């Protein structure tokens, strides 16, 4: 009954520190996504992985890297955190229909990240 | 380019009023999908509905209904007889190749 699991739920970092946000899904979905949510900005796509073994940049990839470790896991890494990366981060997954993302996305509970 | 516009930043209604949330989209694709998601105060995102570009039939689910009009590139969401539990941020989304584009969301406050 887990769906999409994100860890940690909260994190405070100092500028320049690095960290990895973890995401795992147990729905056998092919596609996985990382978003950030900022007030008034909606959800913005950072990176996505259409299928195991592939990753691509989204709308706001600068300052981030991702790894699709296997079909279940998709991690997001901040190499040198900056205050502008303070945000709520959501991981999502979806089934894979055809070329288009026609399947609804299932979201994790989010990671609230503050960078001082 | 793809774009989703939710011009209503925040709406406040009194319980039992009807309310419509607007969503206007732009895309050059002939095949695309539209979605609505709900984000209650607890923060999780919940899928509500999906509609593909070839299906303009309106849909009703309980107090929720959706009106899809390709001619005006709109996919509006109406809540009938609103309740306090409907208070949330609602996002409209458009899908393209592997990716989603989300609108900036509309915060709905339903007052008792």
């Amino acid at each position: 009954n887990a769906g999409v699991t994100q860890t940690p739920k909260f994190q405070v970092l100092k500028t320049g520190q690095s960290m990895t946000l973890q995401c795992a899904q147990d729905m056998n979905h092919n596609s996985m996504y990382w978003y950030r949510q900022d007030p008034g900005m909606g959800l913005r796509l950072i990176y996505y992985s259409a299928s195991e073994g592939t990753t691509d940049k989204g709308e706001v990839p600068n300052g981030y890297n991702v790894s699709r470790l296997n079909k279940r896991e998709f991690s997001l890494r901040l190499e040198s955190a900056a205050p502008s990366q303070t945000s709520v981060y959501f991981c999502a997954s979806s089934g894979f229909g055809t070329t288009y993302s026609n399947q609804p996305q299932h979201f994790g509970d989010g990671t609230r990240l503050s960078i001082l | 380019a793809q774009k989703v516009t939710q011009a209503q930043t925040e709406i406040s209604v009194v319980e039992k009023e009807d309310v419509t949330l607007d969503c206007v989209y732009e895309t050059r694709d002939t095949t695309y999908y539209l979605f609505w998601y709900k984000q209650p105060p607890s923060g999780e995102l919940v899928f509500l509905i999906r509609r593909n570009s070839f299906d303009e039939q309106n849909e009703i689910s309980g107090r929720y209904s959706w009106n899809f009009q390709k001619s005006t590139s709109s996919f509006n969401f109406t809540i009938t007889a609103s309740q306090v539990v409907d208070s949330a941020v609602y996002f409209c989304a458009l899908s393209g190749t592997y990716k989603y584009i989300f609108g900036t969301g509309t915060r709905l406050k339903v007052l008792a």
Side-chain angles (χ1 to χ4, degrees), chain B residues 11-41:
Chain B
I11 302 174
S12 292
V13 298
V14 177
E15 206 170 20
K16 298 184 182 178
E17 285 185 354
D18 298 346
V19 58
T20 295
L21 310 182
D22 297 332
C23 174
V24 174
Y25 63 92
E26 296 176 27
T27 181
R28 294 180 181 175
D29 292 336
T30 54
T31 300
Y32 54 90
Y33 294 80
L34 295 161
F35 302 80
W36 277 95
Y37 289 83
K38 175 182 180 179
Q39 186 177 41

Side-chain angles (χ1 to χ4, degrees), chain A residues 37 96 101-103 105, chain B residues 37 39 50 95 98-100:
Chain A
Q37 184 178 22
F96 185 61
S101 300
N102 60 355
Q103 301 299 313
Q105 296 195 345
Chain B
Y37 289 83
Q39 186 177 41
R50 175 187 67 184
S95 78
Y98 306 126
K99 295 187 291 187
Y100 276 47

Side-chain angles (χ1 to χ4, degrees), chain A residues 72-93:
Chain A
R72 291 186 63 248
E73 299 172 285
F74 188 39
S75 62
L76 177 72
R77 182 161 179 84
L78 286 71
E79 291 291 352
S80 179
S84 61
Q85 294 177 304
T86 294
S87 188
V88 180
Y89 291 85
F90 285 97
C91 177
S93 70

Side-chain angles (χ1 to χ4, degrees), chain B residues 3 7-8 14-15 17 24 29 40 51 62 68-69 78 107:
Chain B
K3 186 177 180 181
Q8 303 153 308
V14 177
E15 206 170 20
E17 285 185 354
V24 174
D29 292 336
R51 178 64 77 230
F68 175 33
Q69 291 192 329
T78 297
R107 182 178 299 277

